């Protein structure tokens, strides 16, 4: 099957090399690819991972790329996921050595901010992985001290603690809705006092209500912002159009193909449906 622009996606063969529980229902998986012929994934891009070699479940699942390392011809892609249904429930049983396959990296990722700018990463729940990839990229470029990471979850046991110690120089602030860890409240409470500095670039990923709230806070301040949208995806490369959202001046576009990252001025109230 080809995409509308004639590209034929190909599955990449991989092996589960690490798989560990890193929070309540929260898993981190490393997929080793013996022969990597593609480019390094951009922060914000995703893969479509096949959960079963059979028909149940039939569809692959999208996961944001949290990390990527290349060693010669081989590479390792890291994903972080929460068990939310049958597909992720089956994945949680996978053990190192299991063969796997995926499509990707797919979609439009984040555009890096200009060097020397103030960068704020705003993550809610499992919106964290693409922003970990962004923190890694900027750290590798020697720009960690430009970066502030704001990370919110509902409670302490749902937080991913391990990753937050791995970026020296990145200012990291956490919050929980129940106050069991970090600041009590929402990630927007962490963001509010940090919006007054001009030249700030925001990168946002998380549940749609959180993204909608951040967009409302940023409106009229003249700050650059990029948002990674969540959507149900069936194919992941633009054929089924099941993930279409309304974008200003363009009508309905596919989150998997034209996104998942969109600039702030591309989003409207209609981009968030009925939430």
């Amino acid at each position: 099957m080809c995409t509308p622009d004639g590209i034929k996606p190909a599955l990449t063969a991989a092996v589960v090399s690490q798989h560990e529980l890193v929070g309540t229902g929260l898993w981190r998986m490393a997929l080793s690819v013996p022969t990597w012929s593609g480019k390094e994934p951009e922060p914000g891009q995703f893969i479509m991972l096949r959960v079963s070699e059979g028909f149940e479940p039939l569809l692959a699942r999208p996961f944001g790329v949290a990390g990527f390392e290349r060693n010669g011809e081989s590479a390792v892609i890291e994903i972080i996921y929460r068990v939310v249904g049958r597909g992720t429930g089956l994945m949680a049983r996978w053990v190192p050595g299991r063969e796997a396959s995926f499509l990707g990296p797919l979609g439009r990722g984040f555009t890096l901010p200009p060097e020397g700018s103030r960068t704020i990463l705003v993550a809610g729940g499992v919106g964290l992985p693409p922003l970990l990839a962004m923190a890694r990229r900027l750290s590798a470029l020697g720009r960690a001290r430009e970066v502030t990471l704001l990370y919110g979850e509902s409670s302490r046991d749902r937080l991913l603690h391990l990753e937050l110690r791995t970026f020296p120089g990145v200012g990291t602030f956490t919050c929980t809705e129940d106050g069991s860890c970090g600041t009590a409240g929402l990630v927007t409470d962490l963001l509010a006092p940090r919006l007054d500095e001009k030249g700030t670039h925001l990168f946002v990923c998380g549940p749609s209500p959180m993204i909608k709230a951040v967009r409302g806070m940023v409106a009229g301040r003249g700050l650059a912002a990029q948002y990674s949208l969540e959507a149900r995806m069936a194919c992941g490369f633009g054929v089924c159009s099941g993930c279409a959202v309304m974008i200003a001046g363009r009508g309905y576009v596919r989150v998997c193909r034209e996104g998942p990252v969109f600039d702030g001025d591309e989003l409207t109230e209609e981009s968030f449906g009925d939430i």
Side-chain angles (χ1 to χ4, degrees):
M1 180 180 293
C2 295
T3 66
D5 45 11
I7 298 174
K8 185 176 182 180
L11 283 170
T12 296
V15 175
V16 177
S17 54
Q18 291 183 341
H19 196 200
E20 59 180 335
L21 190 64
V22 291
T24 301
L26 192 65
W27 291 82
R28 180 167 61 179
M29 180 186 295
L31 296 164
S32 295
V33 181
T35 303
W36 180 265
S37 58
K39 297 179 180 178
E40 179 176 352
E42 296 296 328
Q45 288 192 297
F46 65 95
I47 63 172
M48 294 292 292
L49 181 64
R50 292 196 66 183
V51 178
S52 170
E53 297 303 317
F55 296 104
E56 179 57 33
L58 175 63
L59 300 177
R61 300 292 194 269
F63 299 98
V65 176
F68 177 85
E69 291 185 10
R70 185 162 189 170
N71 183 15
E73 294 185 351
S74 65
V76 176
I77 282 185
E78 178 185 312
I79 63 172
I80 297 167
Y81 68 95
R82 186 176 299 285
V83 175
V84 294
R86 176 167 170 74
T88 48
L90 290 172
M91 286 171 54
R93 304 174 189 171
W94 291 8
V95 297
R98 186 193 191 281
E99 294 182 351
S101 59
F102 63 85
L103 289 174
L106 299 169
R108 173 195 176 194
F110 292 112
T111 300
L112 297 188
E115 189 169 354
S117 61
R118 180 176 183 244
T119 299
I120 300 180
L121 312 178
V122 185
V126 289
L128 180 65
L131 298 181
L132 289 178
M134 176 63 96
R136 279 197 171 101
R137 178 66 61 85
L138 292 174
S139 295
L141 294 172
R143 299 174 57 183
R145 297 194 183 281
E146 300 174 11
V147 182
T148 299
L149 173 61
L150 311 179
Y151 172 37
E153 256 291 4
S154 58
S155 60
R156 181 186 184 91
D157 64 332
R158 292 175 67 88
L159 284 169
L160 175 65
H161 293 281
L162 190 60
E163 291 290 341
L164 300 182
R165 297 193 296 265
T166 61
F167 304 111
V170 172
T172 302
F173 301 86
T174 60
C175 67
T176 51
E177 294 180 39
D178 65 0
S180 54
C181 185
T183 301
L186 302 174
V187 73
T188 47
D189 297 322
L190 294 178
L191 177 62
R194 296 176 167 85
L195 286 177
D196 291 334
E197 186 172 323
K198 292 185 178 179
T200 295
H201 289 250
L202 288 172
F203 299 85
V204 188
C205 188
S208 294
M210 185 205 84
I211 290 181
K212 185 176 181 180
V214 172
R215 177 179 170 271
M217 295 169 66
V218 172
R221 293 177 178 269
L223 302 180
Q226 298 175 44
Y227 301 86
S228 180
L229 299 188
E230 291 185 344
R232 292 184 178 275
M233 298 180 185
C235 70
F237 50 90
V239 170
C240 71
S241 298
C243 58
V245 297
M246 179 66 76
I247 294 298
R250 299 164 63 186
Y252 282 99
V253 303
R254 301 156 295 184
V255 171
C256 70
R257 188 70 176 169
E258 284 76 27
V261 175
F262 296 92
D263 292 332
D265 57 7
E266 294 183 289
L267 303 182
T268 71
E269 287 295 307
E270 294 175 300
S271 302
F272 300 96
D274 297 327
I275 65 170

